[in-house]
Amino acid sequence: MQQNIFEKEFAKETVFKDRNLVTPHYTPPILPFRERQIKEMGEILSFSLKGKKTDNLFLYGKTGTGKTSVAKHVVQQLLDFSVKQNLNVEGCYVNCRNHNSKYRVLIKIVKDLYPEENFLGFSAAFVYEKLLDYARKGKEFVVVLDEVDKVKDLDELIYSLTRGNDELDKGSVSIIGISNNLMFKDRLDPRTKSSLCEQEMVFPPYNAEELREILKQRAEMAFKSRCVQSSAINLAAALAAQESGDARTAVMLLLRAGEICDKKGSDKVTDEEVKRAKSKVEEEIILSMISTLPKQQQFVLYTISSLTLQKKGVTRITGEKEEGVLFSGEIYEEYQRIAKSHHSDIISSRWYRQYISELEMYGLIFTTASGKGIRGQTRLIKLGFDAKKIREILGKEIAN
DNA sequence: CCTCCACAGGAAGCGCAGGAGT
DNA sequence: ACTCCTGCGCTTCCTGTGGAGG
């Protein structure tokens, strides 16, 4: 008799108790080291329970610092409490990466309010009225806009949402904006800025100590008991902390390490698996950052990684030596050659500089102003990740 | 000291796509 | 269906800057 192909997979030994709990989507019920932010946010939102409009709130901090988790957590608690006490508070979460225009955000909100109806195709004004109708029933409405910097016409969205408050005598609309881009705030229309940022909260990165606690807590929930060595947790925390203090990377390390264990039939996560997971997670992070970049920007980054591999280092006139540092100008020249050889257009040097600034913002490269020993004013550019990996990944990306 | 270098980065404008208004 | 409008990606043009070199 032939064996069902799933039988073997199903019976396979695993170190996981519940694998879902170490995926990035999962929000744990307890958020360590964010008590202050939770309390502060709770205080701000509590006004809605008394039937008042709460201040709009803007959260920022790097990726994996718990912004989304805290926001979801507090809003959920608010809604739970509201239901229990029979109060008129309503909330909604929108990820603006998927809903990246005023219209799409409004559609998403209204669809959450009226799940059985479909508003796709209706005019923006109609959808907006629908939203106000809802608030007119005396609802205090809290909208969480995650990755709010991705909205194309953000000024108008914020304006529309806040304008609602003037037209309503009962009920209100409050906004919680989340962003990991600090610069973005300064590019906003001053009016938008002042209304969105009535209150602000900063989320600092976690340090190694804090990450260790977080991972310990997750490991206990997600893995079978005694399947994860404590030294492995320490290592994962240390690795994530020196990279960025990003809890998401730290958790991903644990997840991939566990998967590596399962694959080779081992029943214990040790330093060895974490080390191997590190390279895998790094690749995933690089790929997720790189794949959405414009083609020309990919060429620029590819050029930087190629040159980094070719050159051993720059000797300054002062005698000190630095590894893997490139001049802005030489990159642009090489970029033109590479783009040409791919029969691609070539961007102007001005726009190239713009791309360089963006790459720095994403943390893919580091730049420093040329100081003593270098003639003229230029930027010295250094890769933020392993050159070989970036070139390898980009090579595939550019090919298609 | 002045001049030149090798860029940085602001301002203005251009062509295009996609949405709103009619 | 048609114009009009607007944001976006990009170019062109330009002024600014810190140090090298004479």
Side-chain angles (χ1 to χ4, degrees), chain A residues 93-253:
Chain A
Y93 171 89
V94 183
N95 188 332
C96 301
R97 188 200 292 263
N98 310 324
H99 307 273
N100 57 1
S101 72
K102 173 189 167 188
Y103 183 67
R104 287 182 191 160
V105 169
L106 286 176
I107 287 279
K108 165 83 171 101
I109 295 172
V110 173
K111 198 155 189 190
D112 275 13
L113 297 176
Y114 305 90
E116 66 286 349
E117 293 179 60
N118 191 0
F119 294 97
L120 253 178
F122 285 75
S123 80
F126 179 83
V127 176
Y128 177 63
E129 272 307 310
K130 243 354 196 181
L131 172 62
L132 288 191
D133 274 352
Y134 201 82
R136 281 199 190 92
K137 296 177 198 162
K139 294 271 186 190
E140 310 301 323
F141 195 68
V142 179
V143 192
V144 180
L145 299 176
D146 204 349
E147 303 195 57
V148 68
D149 46 314
K150 295 285 187 301
V151 180
K152 309 265 177 195
D153 45 0
L154 183 64
D155 288 324
E156 285 182 47
L157 175 65
I158 300 296
Y159 176 71
S160 298
L161 289 176
T162 50
R163 183 171 54 109
N165 291 311
D166 303 333
E167 293 175 16
L168 297 167
D169 41 341
K170 234 175 21 159
S172 68
V173 180
S174 314
I175 306 163
I176 299 176
I178 302 177
S179 168
N180 48 29
N181 187 345
L182 288 171
M183 312 294 291
F184 137 86
K185 209 181 77 180
D186 302 321
R187 294 205 314 262
L188 287 175
D189 182 307
R191 290 202 312 274
T192 311
K193 191 173 160 187
S194 68
S195 75
L196 179 60
C197 308
E198 285 171 343
Q199 300 272 351
E200 285 181 26
M201 280 167 61
V202 184
F203 284 64
Y206 297 104
N207 60 36
E209 188 68 21
E210 292 167 341
L211 284 173
R212 208 183 68 202
E213 277 304 310
I214 292 169
L215 287 183
K216 211 168 136 192
Q217 175 206 317
R218 288 289 192 102
E220 271 165 29
M221 295 189 298
F223 288 84
K224 289 176 183 164
S225 60
R226 284 191 292 283
C227 270
V228 187
Q229 285 189 349
S230 62
S231 72
I233 290 185
N234 291 347
L235 180 62
L239 289 174
Q242 62 168 290
E243 285 294 331
S244 53
D246 174 357
R248 194 160 6 180
T249 345
V251 171
M252 282 297 281
L253 278 173

Side-chain angles (χ1 to χ4, degrees), chain A residues 2 19 106 110 161 180 254 265 268 309 398:
Chain A
Q2 198 178 0
R19 186 180 168 283
L106 286 176
V110 173
L161 289 176
N180 48 29
L254 219 49
K268 227 178 184 79
L309 290 172
I398 288 170

